[in-house]
Amino acid sequence: MRPDISRPGRSTELRHALPVVVVTVLLVVGSLGLGAAIAPVAADAHGGTLTRTVDDTTLAPGESTTVTVEINASERGNFTVVEELSPGFASVEIVDDDGADFSGVRDANDELFATYGDRENVTLQYRVTAADSANATTHELTGYGDFGLEDIRATTTGDGEISVSADGGSSVIRSVDDATLAPGESATVWVAVERDRAANFTLVEEFSPAFGSVEIVDADGADFSGVRDANDELFATYGDRENVTLVYEVTAADDATAGTVYEFDGFADVNGSQSATDGTTEIDVQESSDDGDVSAARSIDRATLEPGGSTTVRVAVDRDRATNFTLVEEFSPAFGSVEIVDDDGADFSGVRDANDELFATYGERELATLVYEVTAADDSTAGTVYEFDGFTDANGSQSATSGSGEISVQASDDDSGAVRSVDDETLAPGESATVRVEVDRDEATNFTVIEEFNPAFASVEIVDDDGADFSGVRDANDELFATYGDRENVTLVYEVTAGDDANAGTAYQFDGFTDVNGSELTTGGTDELDVQSESDDNWDLTRSADDTTLEPGESTVVSVEITGNETTNFTLVEEFNPGFASVEIVDDDGADFSGVRNANDELFATYGDRENVTLQYRVTAGEDVDEDASYQLGGFAQFDADGTEMDVDGVESLAVGSDGVAGGGGGGGGGDDDDDDESGDDDDTDDGSSDTPESTDSPDDGDDDDTDDDNGDDGGDDSGDGDDSDGDSGDGSDDDSGDGAPETATPETETSVTTTTDTPVPGFGVSVALVALVLGSVLLARRRAN
């Protein structure tokens, strides 16, 4: 029989508690594992790179180019690509969005976006077109990508500019020293280019038929120049130049017959934009000069002038031998002024006072070039034609001057003042808009207003032609006209109606001009009407807030309700100024994508094929915000069908300020504060077994605990006989000390209550409860042992 030997080091109470401890430890470990298992896994934030490539970074007015943006995400996920264009283009079209879930272009053609879901590498392509009437300008291209729910933003790199080069500020003039040649004879040609600003350009001169020979005499520092072997074309290329003069010599073929006419055609090419060369356009072949040994040819820099405008005229004399001669030039009607610029060493020269004739006399000369300037009269009217007549008198033998023979006057653009305006630049299919064309001239004259439409409208109706002599609309509804006699100011009013079957995104283009005696002056103002799918009135966007006044650190829930009459794709954007301390989307109502910017100043939600949605989010004011500050709320929805944007109505700001003392009724006031009983006690249920702590609205004596703490100090006496230490015996006093003395009221403060919304650690409460169970088991075992 084994002797009963006690084992030291292990007490009886520990032996009794050991099974309970082991089981409890296992439960604690299990609960911690369970908490970790069910803890939510935060979405991994990811970024990426975006690279932009532009096919052609320099455009002429009206030209287009393709832009490619390659997006490489660091991992597969959701992201949105935004491209911003400043200033906007005449048109922007997405060529290939590479399967984007949503994409669109803003109406102003200054921004586009594409949203992708669960993608990694994509390529977005779009086409931009410069305005037909664009001046020289530079379009800045910027963009970014927002990746993942954390909105990790990456800036687009690569090509960032597209330049538009307009060539309206240049003149290209050709002049010839001899416009009449005998077979085998030569003439010198000047092509003068004057630009408002330096640019790269190429001069091209074409000849039909080809000359016997063509030789460049002076290329004026061209980077490249040359003559085609067939002698029917030459070119000269200049880099970053403003003014140049190209000089070349042409020779009529030896076998050229009398009556042959060599025709010149040329232009200056500036980045694909071509400006035709003005001035002399032909050289005639004759057997010999009129008097056997002399020829004179006239060239004019500008064949069209506005009232008060000037131009330079050259008369080149080429003789076979030196002799005395006089050049005479006559003008009908007389110019406003005539001035000899260079008489090339004439013995005598002068201008008649009436400005209708000049002369220059040369002694024993073979070659001479007379240069003079003529100015149209300030009061000359559009359609006036100044005619030139001249000759060379050599010892009584007169030879007529050939070449350019007239200058026409047209009204300057400023004299027209024709401007188009539209009362509504966006229409739904079948809707109408009223158009006004106002003509404001400096003086009365006859003119016709022409308006052209592409594509044709469903209907065009003249509402008021303002007393036109004649007016009408073409049956195809693509053009109208109104003719006025001796008028200065008119307003033409007409109505256009979009087709019932017009698609969203259709753009009706306006093109018009005022014809003044054959001179066409372009109409300015609105030049386009856009068609969208539905009127804005079919959608309602309203913002509301649970509380429009917050204390620092407090939160409220904001709701945005969107209702429409048809399903479509759209994106809702909410913007905040300044940013909140925090912004959290509470319910995005099934959005395909949604997120909050890191700065807490913007959020978005994208919906596909939806009609009615309600987005809810919670905003929290900063702790350090002044109480008289306010948060501004703004937002809009962009509809993919036509890029239309609509603003959100409703609450537009949240004020920051104190509403009073936080908390319930005041301590020290006695009475029935937040109690379910009628005993006059403060914040107690007084049901005899309450474990609910009292409120903190009265001073605490350290024993303001209505729980039976089993420590024997009150014997668990809740009978209301006055010996209960919690003082809730029904004696009528609101004194938690139970001594019957009046309470000392705690002064109220303006300290606000801040609600903490941090997410608790999963499983933490279970773990604490189980630890408490272990301690209780040890105490129970000790008590049983005793």
Side-chain angles (χ1 to χ4, degrees):
M1 183 173 182
R2 175 181 298 177
D4 187 6
I5 301 174
S6 62
R7 298 180 181 180
R10 179 179 299 175
S11 64
T12 305
E13 58 269 22
L14 289 180
R15 286 199 306 272
H16 286 293
L18 183 59
V20 178
V21 171
V22 171
V23 172
T24 303
V25 169
L26 291 177
L27 290 175
V28 170
V29 173
S31 67
L32 293 174
L34 177 62
I38 65 175
V41 179
D44 291 332
H46 66 283
T49 62
L50 302 90
T51 304
R52 181 189 307 105
T53 304
V54 180
D55 287 357
D56 191 349
T57 58
T58 303
L59 301 178
E63 287 189 338
S64 302
T65 190
T66 298
V67 183
T68 302
V69 181
E70 295 187 3
I71 303 97
N72 296 300
S74 61
E75 60 183 346
R76 196 173 187 88
N78 306 329
F79 52 88
T80 296
V81 179
V82 177
E83 286 283 88
E84 299 173 338
L85 320 168
S86 177
F89 286 86
S91 70
V92 177
E93 173 190 2
I94 294 179
V95 177
D96 183 3
D97 63 7
D98 199 3
D101 296 330
F102 309 99
S103 63
V105 178
R106 191 194 296 264
D107 288 347
N109 290 316
D110 60 355
E111 184 175 328
L112 64 85
F113 80 98
T115 299
Y116 301 85
D118 197 29
R119 298 289 295 276
E120 186 171 0
N121 299 319
V122 300
T123 299
L124 171 66
Q125 286 188 319
Y126 60 93
R127 180 181 296 108
V128 296
T129 302
D132 291 333
S133 59
N135 296 320
T137 187
T138 299
H139 294 268
E140 302 288 341
L141 278 63
T142 59
Y144 58 88
D146 283 342
F147 295 83
L149 297 179
E150 297 295 328
D151 270 349
I152 302 301
R153 175 160 294 186
T155 302
T156 304
T157 61
D159 295 334
E161 292 184 352
I162 295 178
S163 299
V164 178
S165 175
D167 207 31
S170 69
S171 66
V172 187
I173 306 294
R174 182 190 305 107
S175 59
V176 180
D177 68 349
D178 195 346
T180 303
L181 298 178
E185 285 189 340
S186 301
T188 300
V189 184
W190 291 269
V191 180
V193 179
E194 294 183 359
R195 299 184 53 78
D196 292 340
R197 60 189 178 278
N200 303 328
F201 60 90
T202 298
L203 276 178
V204 177
E205 290 281 277
E206 299 170 342
F207 320 112
S208 178
F211 283 97
S213 70
V214 178
E215 177 186 358
I216 295 177
V217 176
D218 182 3
D220 197 6
D223 296 329
F224 309 97
S225 63
V227 179
R228 191 197 296 264
D229 290 342
N231 290 315
D232 62 351
E233 185 176 327
L234 66 79
F235 78 97
T237 298
Y238 300 86
D240 200 33
R241 294 289 294 276
E242 188 172 350
N243 301 317
V244 301
T245 300
L246 171 67
V247 183
Y248 61 94
E249 185 179 85
V250 294
T251 303
D254 292 333
D255 58 355
T257 59
T260 299
V261 177
Y262 289 99
E263 295 181 340
F264 292 77
D265 191 13
F267 56 89
D269 186 307
V270 183
N271 298 320
S273 177
Q274 295 182 357
S275 299
T277 301
D278 296 323
T280 304
T281 60
E282 64 184 37
I283 289 179
D284 299 327
V285 176
Q286 60 184 26
E287 284 297 335
S288 62
S289 58
D290 293 342
D291 65 354
D293 62 355
V294 64
S295 68
R298 180 188 307 105
S299 62
I300 302 173
D301 282 0
R302 294 175 59 195
T304 303
L305 297 178
E306 66 277 5
S310 302
T311 189
T312 300
V313 184
R314 294 175 179 85
V315 180
V317 179
D318 184 5
R319 298 183 59 82
D320 292 340
R321 59 187 181 275
T323 188
N324 301 326
F325 61 89
T326 297
L327 270 178
V328 177
E329 289 281 272
E330 300 170 341
F331 321 112
S332 178
F335 282 98
S337 70
V338 178
E339 177 186 0
I340 294 177
V341 178
D342 183 3
D343 63 8
D344 197 10
D347 297 331
F348 309 99
S349 63
V351 179
R352 190 196 297 264
D353 290 340
N355 290 318
D356 61 351
E357 186 176 324
L358 65 76
F359 77 97
T361 298
Y362 299 88
E364 200 65 26
R365 294 284 294 272
E366 183 178 352
L367 302 173
T369 300
L370 173 66
V371 182
Y372 61 96
E373 183 178 82
V374 295
T375 302
D378 291 333
D379 58 355
S380 58
T381 59
T384 299
V385 177
Y386 290 97
E387 295 182 345
F388 291 75
D389 192 12
F391 58 88
T392 302
D393 186 305
N395 301 314
S397 176
Q398 294 183 357
S399 299
T401 301
S402 60
S404 303
E406 64 180 34
I407 290 179
S408 300
V409 175
Q410 68 176 20
S412 65
D413 290 348
D414 294 338
D415 288 339
S416 172
V419 178
R420 180 188 307 106
S421 61
V422 182
D423 66 350
D424 191 349
E425 296 183 17
T426 303
L427 299 179
E431 285 189 342
S432 301
T434 299
V435 185
R436 290 174 174 80
V437 177
E438 298 184 17
V439 179
D440 185 6
R441 299 185 54 79
D442 293 338
E443 59 185 14
T445 188
N446 302 328
F447 59 89
T448 298
V449 176
I450 305 289
E451 289 282 88
E452 300 172 342
F453 321 113
N454 184 24
F457 284 99
S459 71
V460 177
E461 178 185 356
I462 295 177
V463 178
D464 182 3
D465 64 8
D466 197 7
D469 297 331
F470 309 97
S471 64
V473 178
R474 191 196 296 263
D475 290 341
N477 289 317
D478 60 352
E479 185 177 328
L480 64 80
F481 77 96
T483 298
Y484 300 86
D486 198 29
R487 294 288 294 276
E488 186 174 351
N489 302 315
V490 301
T491 299
L492 171 66
V493 182
Y494 61 93
E495 184 178 79
V496 295
T497 302
D500 292 331
D501 56 354
N503 296 322
T506 298
Y508 288 98
Q509 304 289 331
F510 291 80
D511 191 14
F513 58 89
T514 303
D515 186 308
V516 183
N517 297 318
S519 178
E520 295 182 358
L521 306 173
T522 302
T523 301
T526 305
D527 60 2
E528 182 176 289
L529 280 182
D530 296 324
V531 176
Q532 65 181 24
S533 60
E534 291 292 341
S535 170
D536 292 348
D537 295 338
N538 294 329
W539 288 86
D540 184 30
L541 293 78
T542 305
R543 180 189 304 107
S544 61
D546 288 356
D547 192 347
T548 58
T549 300
L550 301 177
E551 292 193 27
E554 282 192 337
S555 303
T556 190
V557 173
V558 181
S559 301
V560 179
E561 296 186 14
I562 301 178
T563 58
N565 64 350
E566 63 176 358
T567 59
T568 187
N569 304 330
F570 58 89
T571 296
L572 174 64
V573 177
E574 286 281 90
E575 300 168 334
F576 319 115
N577 184 24
F580 285 96
S582 71
V583 178
E584 175 192 359
I585 294 178
V586 177
D587 183 3
D588 64 8
D589 199 5
D592 296 325
F593 308 99
S594 63
V596 179
R597 192 196 295 266
N598 290 342
N600 291 316
D601 60 353
E602 185 176 324
L603 64 81
F604 81 98
T606 299
Y607 299 88
D609 202 28
R610 295 289 294 275
E611 183 176 358
N612 302 317
V613 301
T614 299
L615 171 69
Q616 290 186 317
Y617 57 92
R618 179 182 292 107
V619 294
T620 301
E623 295 280 0
D624 56 352
V625 177
D626 294 337
E627 290 194 353
D628 59 351
S630 66
Y631 290 93
Q632 301 300 315
L633 281 62
F636 61 90
Q638 184 179 65
F639 297 87
D640 290 356
D642 52 15
T644 298
E645 288 187 3
M646 287 188 61
D647 292 335
V648 178
D649 297 324
V651 175
E652 296 181 347
S653 66
L654 297 180
V656 178
S658 176
D659 287 337
V661 179
D672 189 7
D673 284 339
D674 296 324
D675 291 337
D676 292 334
D677 60 358
E678 297 181 358
S679 62
D681 62 319
D682 187 8
D683 210 16
D684 289 337
T685 56
D686 202 20
D687 57 0
S689 61
S690 172
D691 289 333
T692 302
E694 285 195 23
S695 70
T696 59
D697 56 1
S698 60
D700 196 345
D701 62 357
D703 193 22
D704 193 13
D705 184 6
D706 288 343
T707 61
D708 188 354
D709 55 9
D710 290 322
N711 59 7
D713 59 353
D714 65 357
D717 186 1
D718 288 315
S719 61
D721 57 4
D723 61 351
D724 191 342
S725 64
D726 62 6
D728 289 340
S729 61
D731 58 3
S733 66
D734 195 13
D735 179 11
D736 290 344
S737 64
D739 57 8
E743 283 189 281
T744 301
T746 302
E748 294 185 353
T749 68
E750 295 295 332
T751 303
S752 62
V753 177
T754 301
T755 303
T756 301
T757 58
D758 293 338
T759 303
V761 176
F764 179 74
V766 176
S767 303
V768 172
L770 292 177
V771 170
L773 179 61
V774 172
L775 297 177
S777 300
V778 172
L779 293 175
L780 179 62
R782 178 179 297 176
R783 180 173 295 182
R784 288 176 178 174
N786 293 335

